[in-house]
Amino acid sequence: MRRKPEKTTPSAFWPVAALVVPPLRLITRIRVIDGDKVPASGAFVLAPNHYSEIDPVVMGYTLWRVGRAPRFLAKASLFKVPVVGAVLRGTGQVPVERGGRASTTLEAAQELVAKGRPVIVYPEGSLTRDPGMWPMRGKTGAVRLALEHGIPVIPAAHWGTQHLMARYGKKISVFPPAKITVKFGDPVDLSAYRDRTLDAAALSEATELVMDAVTDLLEDLRGESAPAERWDPKKQGQSETGRFE
C-alpha cells in the first residue's frame, strides 16, 4: 500500500512551507517532469545540478511538491543564526563544517538514513564553474553515502533558475515569473559497486555515473549537448570554493 505523502504528516516543515510556497508560486512557473520517479517512502540521495544560489529553494519546494520533505547538508555556520538556526534544526537539516572531514559529514547524515528520510546532496559540491552552466566534475560524498547505506541515488536536473537568480547573484527577479523545469531520473545503477571496496577509484567511477545521469537529464531540458569533456576546476586553475567570476 502506498504511504501518504510525507508532507501530510504534521512537522516543522508546515510553517516553513506556509512562508515559502505562496511567494514562490507567484514569482515562478515550475514544471515537474517524472515526479513519480521520486520514492514515495524510504531514504535516498537526491543528486541535482547546481548553478545558482537559489537552487536549494527550488529543489526543496519541488521535492515537497511531489510529497517528500526536503533535507539538505547545510553550512554549520547557518545553524548559529537566530531563527534560521532554529528552523534548520527543527526541519532536520544536517550541519556541515566548511573544510571539515568528509567522514564527519557522512556521519551527520546517517540519522536521516536511519529514519528513512531523503537527503539532497549536490554532487558538484558548489556552484558549477563550467562557463555554460553544465555540470562540472563531481565529488564522491553522494555515492559514498548511498553505497555505505544501501540506498538509491536519484538524479535530477533543473533549468531556468538563473532567471530567478543569476549565478552568484544577490537579487531575486520577481517579474516576469521565472519558467523553471525540473526533471527526475531513474535510480543510478550502482550495483557494480555494492560489493566492492569503496576506495578512491571505485567512488570516482560511481560518481561519474551519477554526473552522467544528471548531465543527460539537463541535456533533455536544454535541448542541446553538453561539452564532450566535463569541466574540472583544478585543470582550469580555479578554486573550488568562493566566486570565480
Side-chain angles (χ1 to χ4, degrees):
M1 183 176 68
R2 188 178 178 86
R3 293 178 57 180
K4 291 182 179 180
E6 188 179 6
K7 70 178 184 180
T8 63
T9 302
S11 70
F13 280 99
W14 281 16
V16 174
L19 291 174
V20 174
V21 172
L24 193 62
R25 284 178 172 171
L26 286 176
I27 62 176
T28 64
R29 297 293 182 268
I30 299 178
R31 178 190 176 204
V32 179
I33 300 175
D34 293 334
D36 59 340
K37 292 185 177 181
V38 175
S41 61
F44 63 91
V45 174
L46 181 67
N49 60 319
H50 195 19
Y51 59 83
S52 171
E53 300 282 7
I54 202 72
D55 291 347
V57 175
V58 172
M59 287 307 304
Y61 162 73
T62 305
L63 194 59
W64 177 259
R65 182 168 151 180
V66 299
R68 300 303 302 268
R71 279 92 178 179
F72 292 87
L73 305 186
K75 295 178 183 178
S77 58
L78 294 176
F79 286 75
K80 301 176 183 178
V81 179
V83 181
V84 173
V87 171
L88 291 174
R89 286 188 292 272
T91 54
Q93 309 307 310
V94 179
V96 179
E97 292 287 351
R98 174 62 65 86
R101 293 182 301 112
S103 58
T104 302
T105 298
L106 294 172
E107 288 167 6
Q110 286 178 0
E111 183 180 356
L112 295 182
V113 175
K115 293 182 178 179
R117 295 171 175 170
V119 59
I120 301 172
V121 181
Y122 287 101
E124 296 165 88
S126 62
L127 303 188
T128 181
R129 264 70 172 143
D130 184 275
M133 295 195 290
W134 291 100
M136 64 176 181
R137 186 207 62 202
K139 296 187 176 181
T140 60
V143 296
R144 179 185 288 275
L145 180 62
L147 289 170
E148 287 188 346
H149 295 282
I151 61 176
V153 175
I154 305 297
H158 57 81
W159 188 241
T161 60
Q162 71 274 23
H163 302 308
L164 183 60
M165 178 182 282
R167 180 164 52 181
Y168 296 116
K170 298 299 181 183
K171 295 182 179 180
I172 294 176
S173 176
V174 298
F175 188 82
K179 294 181 179 179
I180 301 169
T181 307
V182 180
K183 185 173 184 178
F184 296 98
D186 293 313
V188 180
D189 184 4
L190 299 178
S191 58
Y193 303 91
R194 296 293 180 189
D195 297 321
R196 283 181 57 178
T197 300
L198 297 183
D199 56 17
L203 290 171
S204 294
E205 290 173 13
T207 297
E208 277 297 296
L209 293 179
V210 172
M211 297 312 302
D212 286 345
V214 174
T215 302
D216 287 347
L217 292 172
L218 187 57
E219 286 182 328
D220 287 344
L221 295 182
R222 294 176 59 165
E224 53 186 319
S225 298
E229 183 177 352
R230 188 165 291 123
W231 191 266
D232 187 335
K234 285 187 177 180
K235 291 182 180 179
Q236 302 297 328
Q238 295 175 325
S239 168
E240 298 203 27
T241 59
R243 298 176 65 101
F244 75 100
E245 296 178 331

